[in-house]
Amino acid sequence: MTFTPAIDPDIEYPDSDGKPMADNTEQYEWIVKIKENLEILFATSPNVFIAGDLLWYPVQDKKITGPVAPDVMVVFGRPKGRRGSYKQWQEDNIAPQVVFEILSPSNSLEEMERKLLFYQRYGVEEYYLYDPDSHSFQGWWRQEGLLSSIPEIKGWISPRLKIRFELREDGLEIYSLDGQKFLTSIELSQRLEQERLKAERLAEYIRSLGIDPDTL
């Protein structure tokens, strides 16, 4: 299913802010890891939209501070599909419920405070911030209308995403509730190859018993 948002003929909103998606390879790898693993996790859910570095316009007003482009954002209740930007008024006015930011050396404290205020103002339910250099991981969860800091993030399970965060000495690890660890693209490829080899060995064993595996 391909989603094509309506075009507003009166106001144009740029689909790019002219900033790079990432400042270094590690930041980029983390953005891709979180985004792609969430895509896999929600692959069979047609109304869960996931995007990386996509500009989000929360209201139809060019005077707003922003917009911002979360490193990863998840929107429940909106169909998958291509978008140049996320214009909320064209999306049943549904705000992204979950956003992730991956810190880079160029991110200033002022910039991150502005993003937190933006997410607070425009309805984000969960906000996660990870620094790959220091392995610092923070989270905020909306309670009684406010994004409140999660006091114990280690072992925290996202209410929306149903994924678990573990903070090790060597960095952040993320797991789905069935215990599957979020993997890099190379690790995912290696896992698929291992599963393919296992399937081939099983098929060979079944054939050795005089059974055609294609008939099972």
Side-chain angles (χ1 to χ4, degrees):
M1 177 180 179
T2 300
F3 170 76
T4 304
I7 302 299
D8 185 338
D10 299 321
I11 304 176
E12 292 185 2
Y13 295 85
D15 289 342
S16 173
D17 57 5
K19 298 178 181 178
M21 179 177 178
D23 291 340
N24 55 59
T25 56
E26 189 168 20
Q27 184 191 24
Y28 178 81
E29 287 171 2
W30 267 102
I31 293 171
V32 172
K33 178 194 284 190
I34 293 173
K35 192 262 185 186
E36 292 304 310
N37 279 269
L38 287 175
E39 291 276 19
I40 293 169
L41 189 61
F42 292 100
T44 60
S45 302
N47 287 314
V48 179
F49 172 65
I50 301 166
D53 194 41
L54 187 71
L55 281 174
W56 166 27
Y57 292 93
V59 293
Q60 198 170 7
D61 184 352
K62 300 208 73 170
K63 296 179 181 179
I64 65 169
T65 302
V68 300
D71 286 335
V72 180
M73 70 180 188
V74 185
V75 191
F76 289 82
R78 297 306 300 153
K80 301 181 189 300
R82 294 182 179 180
R83 293 160 171 82
S85 60
Y86 190 83
K87 301 178 181 69
Q88 190 172 316
W89 59 91
Q90 295 179 350
E91 307 279 358
D92 287 347
N93 204 34
I94 297 176
Q97 292 94 350
V98 187
V99 298
F100 291 83
E101 294 286 355
I102 308 299
L103 276 178
S104 70
S106 69
N107 292 133
S108 66
L109 179 60
E110 180 182 357
E111 176 188 1
M112 301 318 295
E113 287 179 345
R114 180 180 71 83
K115 286 189 174 183
L116 177 58
L117 290 173
F118 188 96
Y119 297 147
Q120 162 64 49
R121 179 175 182 181
Y122 292 111
V124 167
E125 296 176 8
E126 301 174 43
Y127 169 34
Y128 299 102
L129 175 64
Y130 181 55
D131 184 347
D133 290 334
S134 67
H135 304 319
S136 171
F137 182 54
Q138 298 172 271
W140 290 263
W141 177 38
R142 189 172 293 272
Q143 294 179 291
E144 298 180 355
L146 296 175
L147 279 176
S148 303
S149 177
I150 300 169
E152 182 52 64
I153 196 70
K154 185 176 180 179
W156 171 262
I157 297 175
S158 161
R160 274 283 187 175
L161 304 177
K162 308 302 180 189
I163 59 177
R164 175 170 52 88
F165 301 102
E166 292 292 347
L167 199 56
R168 316 290 187 189
E169 288 185 2
D170 57 348
L172 176 67
E173 291 183 351
I174 307 174
Y175 297 86
S176 60
L177 290 190
D178 64 1
Q180 293 289 336
K181 181 181 174 181
F182 276 30
L183 303 175
T184 65
S185 298
I186 293 175
E187 290 169 334
L188 284 168
S189 177
Q190 291 172 340
R191 187 172 73 182
L192 287 173
E193 179 63 14
Q194 290 171 354
E195 291 174 353
R196 184 186 68 80
L197 292 173
K198 287 180 182 179
E200 286 184 356
R201 287 194 292 266
L202 178 60
E204 289 175 2
Y205 173 71
I206 293 173
R207 289 190 189 97
S208 72
L209 300 176
I211 303 171
D212 183 355
D214 293 332
T215 63
L216 298 178

